[in-house]
Amino acid sequence: MRAIVLEKFGGLDSLVYRDIPEPEPKAGHAVIEIKAFGLNHAELHMRRGEWAEAAPVSGIECVGLVKFCPGGEFPVGAKVAALMGGLGRTINGSYAECTRVPVSNVALIEADLCRGLSWRPFPKPTPRPGPACSAIWRSG
């Protein structure tokens, strides 16, 4: 699977695309096919090596579909949100196509909350970078 991997501690250039093995199913965990993930300020500190722990794949939160859940806590195909639980710190996080998260850190997204929403990608950004890009460059 494709992932954004922390090659070394440092700036944005330390993040590289790599093919890595997909996480194996494990009791007490859910493997999630990631549909979206957040960019969190904590990940900047992990990337720079300022915190004690950083997994090769960063990202401490995501939403997606359950791919495997050996304990049956969530049905395969369920829409879920996941955060923390070691994501990006002690286990590979959400900057990937899939991740494996402790079920205690996964929440079912009820269908009625998602009415009319889809997983299709957002449109491409306009040629003008805007505030989000400048915030990334400044945090660098």
Side-chain angles (χ1 to χ4, degrees), residues 1 8 12-13 19 27 31 35 41-42 53 58-60 68 76 85 88-89 93 103 129 136-137:
M1 71 171 180
K8 64 185 184 307
L12 292 174
D13 62 336
D19 286 315
V31 175
K35 296 296 185 177
H41 190 76
E53 301 167 319
S58 193
I60 63 173
F68 301 105
V76 171
R89 294 191 83 166
V103 293
I136 292 171
W137 289 321

Side-chain angles (χ1 to χ4, degrees), residues 46-58:
M46 288 182 232
R47 187 191 75 226
R48 291 179 176 170
E50 296 170 352
W51 288 359
E53 301 167 319
V57 179
S58 193

Side-chain angles (χ1 to χ4, degrees), residues 26-39:
K26 181 179 175 182
H29 291 73
V31 175
I32 299 171
E33 177 188 347
I34 297 169
K35 296 296 185 177
F37 63 86
L39 297 174

Side-chain angles (χ1 to χ4, degrees), residues 38 79 104:
K79 290 181 182 179
S104 59

Side-chain angles (χ1 to χ4, degrees), residues 1-5 16-22 57 92 95-97:
M1 71 171 180
R2 298 289 288 163
I4 301 170
V5 176
V16 296
Y17 281 108
R18 288 269 155 50
D19 286 315
I20 64 170
E22 193 168 300
V57 179
N92 280 338
Y95 291 11
E97 292 176 324

Side-chain angles (χ1 to χ4, degrees), residues 53-68:
E53 301 167 319
V57 179
S58 193
I60 63 173
E61 56 201 12
C62 66
V63 293
L65 303 173
V66 173
K67 193 167 183 176
F68 301 105

